Amino acid sequence: MSDVEADKQSSAPTRYAVIGSPISHSKSPLIHALFAAQTQQAITYEAIEVLEDDFERFVGSWFASGGGGLNVTVPHKERAFAFAEITTPRATLARAVNTLSLDSAGRLVGDNTDGAGLLNDLIENYDTPIGGKRLLLLGAGGATRGVLAAIADLPNKPASITVANRTLSRAQGLASDFEGRLEIIAVSYDDLQQHEYDVVINGTSASLGGELPPLVPSLLAPDCCCYDMMYSAEPTLFLRWAKEHGAAKAIDGLGMLIGQAAVAFSLWRGVEPKTAEVILALRPKA
Ligand code: NDP
């Protein structure tokens, strides 16, 4: 039975939540409340602190007690991937799960909506399709895997996909995991000197520590679009660097966060919320 069918048989709103640790900073409850108001869905959505070793017990009891669906964030995404009974093709490629639900047979299904969230943001909110473009991804962690998994589903693929990582072997491992689905060029930062790119996506956690990967300005093609998966009230170091060196667009990851939530919401509720107005509502006023 879908969540929406279950609602018809019950007067109580279906419960949703995001689980992680730490979680008190999460914007997801606000985002889902705005989606619910916009689409007139009667749901509740809360942020719940779940410690690493309590993950499986919590998820089991959540669904056993009629919970409608869970978002999963740091540090549980890999654990959620291992725990799900079924994983969608994009979650399987990403090896990480950020959305859990039960299917009609009561099996725990894991999906990964992070990459679709980023692509929706680029395409719908910034008019930047990546089909035919020279794409550079910085970092070879879970977030980059999620984006590549979503790209694997695109009918119109980039002209080339390069992944640069501080630890080259990790980028090479990622490229071989995607073999047969995407052709990925794995490089170290030193190898970026001679090439230019139309779209550069920062999927490193360097911005979190106020750091910047070692990038040369010559890698930015004219009209280059730079995207940082991280977001903060002030522009990240990577976005400041991009602007200083003439990038046409410098976009932070707020739209990705709202985009991944929108895909999860529509999986659970069967209606697609509009993200642009929610981005406006959450964007700090200048
Ligand atoms: P991981 O820990 O899995 O990967 C981190 C990556 O960053 C690795 O490739 C690591 O390189 C690289 N890295 C870390 N520090 C530096 C540095 N100082 N210089 C160069 N490279 C560095 O993290 P995730 O993939 O889960 O997340 C990455 C980023 O994406 C985070 O900032 C996260 O907040 C953001 N994110 C945003 C989302 C959104 O909705 N907006 C959703 C998901 C993630 P190495 O392999 O060499 O260690």
Side-chain angles (χ1 to χ4, degrees):
M1 184 164 39
S2 73
D3 291 350
V4 177
E5 284 162 357
D7 282 1
K8 285 181 189 150
Q9 295 181 12
S10 155
S11 55
T14 306
R15 293 180 292 121
Y16 298 91
V18 57
I19 58 173
S21 181
I23 201 65
S24 58
H25 65 288
S26 175
K27 293 188 191 308
S28 293
L30 173 58
I31 294 168
H32 282 273
L34 291 170
F35 287 163
Q38 185 197 99
T39 58
Q40 301 187 319
Q41 298 286 304
I43 66 161
T44 66
Y45 189 109
E46 58 190 314
I48 303 175
E49 175 93 20
V50 173
L51 297 179
E52 202 154 358
D53 289 340
D54 198 28
F55 174 79
E56 290 81 2
R57 187 207 60 79
F58 179 89
V59 172
S61 75
W62 174 267
F63 286 104
S65 66
L70 288 172
N71 282 135
V72 175
T73 188
V74 177
H76 300 309
K77 287 185 184 182
E78 285 77 22
R79 219 159 165 146
F81 173 67
F83 192 52
E85 291 165 87
I86 298 171
T87 51
T88 61
R90 61 190 175 187
T92 308
L93 271 175
R95 291 214 223 121
V97 156
N98 78 332
T99 303
L100 288 168
S101 52
L102 294 186
D103 71 5
S104 53
R107 291 169 302 186
L108 186 65
V109 182
D111 200 350
N112 186 314
T113 66
D114 282 336
L118 184 150
L119 293 185
N120 288 355
D121 191 35
L122 267 180
I123 294 164
E124 282 166 30
N125 298 324
Y126 293 96
D127 194 22
T128 306
I130 60 168
K133 304 270 175 65
R134 295 164 295 177
L135 174 67
L136 172 61
L137 282 150
L138 310 173
T144 292
R145 277 182 180 275
V147 171
L148 289 167
I151 292 173
D153 282 342
L154 284 180
N156 193 7
K157 304 277 191 298
S160 64
I161 303 172
T162 303
V163 173
N165 198 43
R166 188 173 58 179
T167 311
L168 176 60
S169 58
R170 211 168 163 206
Q172 289 167 330
L174 182 154
S176 81
D177 287 347
F178 277 79
E179 231 166 65
R181 296 301 307 273
L182 290 175
E183 200 171 308
I184 295 170
I185 306 158
V187 299
S188 62
Y189 287 105
D190 290 343
D191 300 325
L192 295 176
Q193 313 264 359
Q194 313 298 332
H195 303 277
E196 58 177 38
Y197 301 91
D198 306 303
V199 178
V200 182
I201 298 174
N202 183 18
T204 72
S205 44
S207 295
L208 286 172
E211 288 177 33
L212 187 67
L215 302 171
V216 285
S218 58
L219 65 83
L220 301 174
D223 288 330
C224 182
C225 171
C226 288
Y227 194 106
D228 200 335
M229 294 199 207
M230 203 192 128
Y231 60 90
S232 55
E234 297 301 318
T236 64
L237 210 50
F238 172 68
L239 294 184
R240 293 211 302 269
W241 174 88
K243 278 270 181 214
E244 270 162 33
H245 294 100
K249 294 177 189 166
I251 306 165
D252 72 11
L254 180 65
M256 175 183 182
L257 176 77
I258 294 168
Q260 62 76 26
V263 180
F265 188 93
S266 84
L267 285 170
W268 292 330
R269 306 301 306 171
V271 282
E272 237 173 84
K274 294 190 184 68
T275 56
E277 60 194 66
V278 178
I279 295 172
L280 264 185
L282 266 79
R283 176 79 63 204
K285 308 289 174 280

